[in-house]
Amino acid sequence: MIRTFIALGANLADPLGQIERAVAALQALPDSRFVACSPLYRSRPMGPADQPDYINGVAHIETRLSPHALLDQTQRIELEQGRVRKAERWGPRTLDLDLLLYGDEQIDDERLTVPHYGMKTRAFVLLPLFDLAPHLVLPCGTALHTLVSACDCSELEPLTGSFATPTP
C-alpha cells in the first residue's frame, strides 16, 4: 500500500457537503484504505475575488492503485459531484481533488504532476497536511514543518465542528 495525500477543495453548491461526500467516496475507493481527513479550513479563493470562499482539507489514504488510476478515480468523484472542467484557472468549483503526494514518487507527465506543483506555497494545503502528518518529509527532502513555518496561515479560518479523523 502506498501512502497518499489528496487535497480537498470546494466553494460551490454546499461546499461542506461536497467535501463530506468526497470523503465518503474516497472511503469507498477500490484497493485502498482511508486513513484520515484533516480538520477543514475556510480560505479566500486564489483566483478571481468575485467567488465564494473555499472549504479546504486533506485526506490521507493508502492505496494499491497506480497514480494514474487514482487520478482517474478522483476525477470520477469530481464529475459525479458536478465538477465542470473549464479553461478558467482557479475559478469556482463544486469540488477539486488534487493528488498531492503518492509515496515518495516524483511524477511529471501530461496528466499528472506529483508532488503537486503548488503545494509548497499554499497555506490551505500545507496546514491541513501538517495536521495529518507533522513529521512528513517531501520527496525533495524538505520537511513539511519547514514549509508551514515559512507560510502565512493567518488567513485560514478553522471550521469548528468540522470532521477530522485521527491518524492511527
Side-chain angles (χ1 to χ4, degrees):
M1 298 280 261
I2 303 293
R3 183 181 195 199
T4 65
F5 293 94
I6 299 169
L8 312 163
N11 75 338
L12 294 177
D14 181 22
L16 184 57
Q18 292 285 357
I19 298 295
E20 290 171 347
R21 286 186 294 282
V23 167
L26 291 171
Q27 289 171 334
L29 284 177
D31 297 318
S32 302
R33 183 177 79 84
F34 187 88
V35 177
C37 184
S38 73
L40 301 178
Y41 295 88
R42 182 179 316 281
S43 66
R44 291 186 182 152
M46 276 184 56
D50 63 340
Q51 60 179 311
D53 287 348
Y54 270 83
I55 303 298
N56 296 102
V58 171
H60 174 194
I61 68 169
E62 294 176 350
T63 188
R64 288 188 179 90
L65 295 172
S66 71
H68 290 90
L70 183 57
L71 176 65
D72 291 341
Q73 290 289 330
T74 59
Q75 289 180 342
R76 176 191 55 79
I77 293 167
E78 289 175 337
L79 290 173
E80 287 174 355
Q81 291 188 215
R83 169 81 184 261
V84 176
R85 294 203 177 272
K86 299 177 184 174
E88 179 185 16
R89 193 172 184 122
W90 302 317
R93 52 196 62 170
T94 56
L95 181 64
D96 189 24
L97 300 176
D98 289 326
L99 183 52
L100 299 173
L101 295 167
Y102 185 88
D104 288 328
E105 288 196 35
Q106 296 183 38
I107 304 163
D108 190 5
D109 64 33
E110 66 282 347
R111 290 193 61 216
L112 184 60
T113 301
V114 173
H116 187 274
Y117 67 91
M119 70 176 285
K120 289 183 177 182
T121 59
R122 297 177 180 172
F124 61 85
V125 171
L126 292 173
L127 192 56
L129 181 58
F130 184 78
D131 288 335
L132 290 176
H135 304 292
L136 182 71
V137 176
L138 302 183
C140 65
T142 303
L144 179 60
H145 68 83
T146 302
L147 296 171
V148 171
S149 65
C151 191
D152 179 9
C153 296
S154 64
E155 291 190 6
L156 291 181
E157 176 190 336
L159 294 184
T160 57
S162 68
F163 66 96
T165 53
T167 303

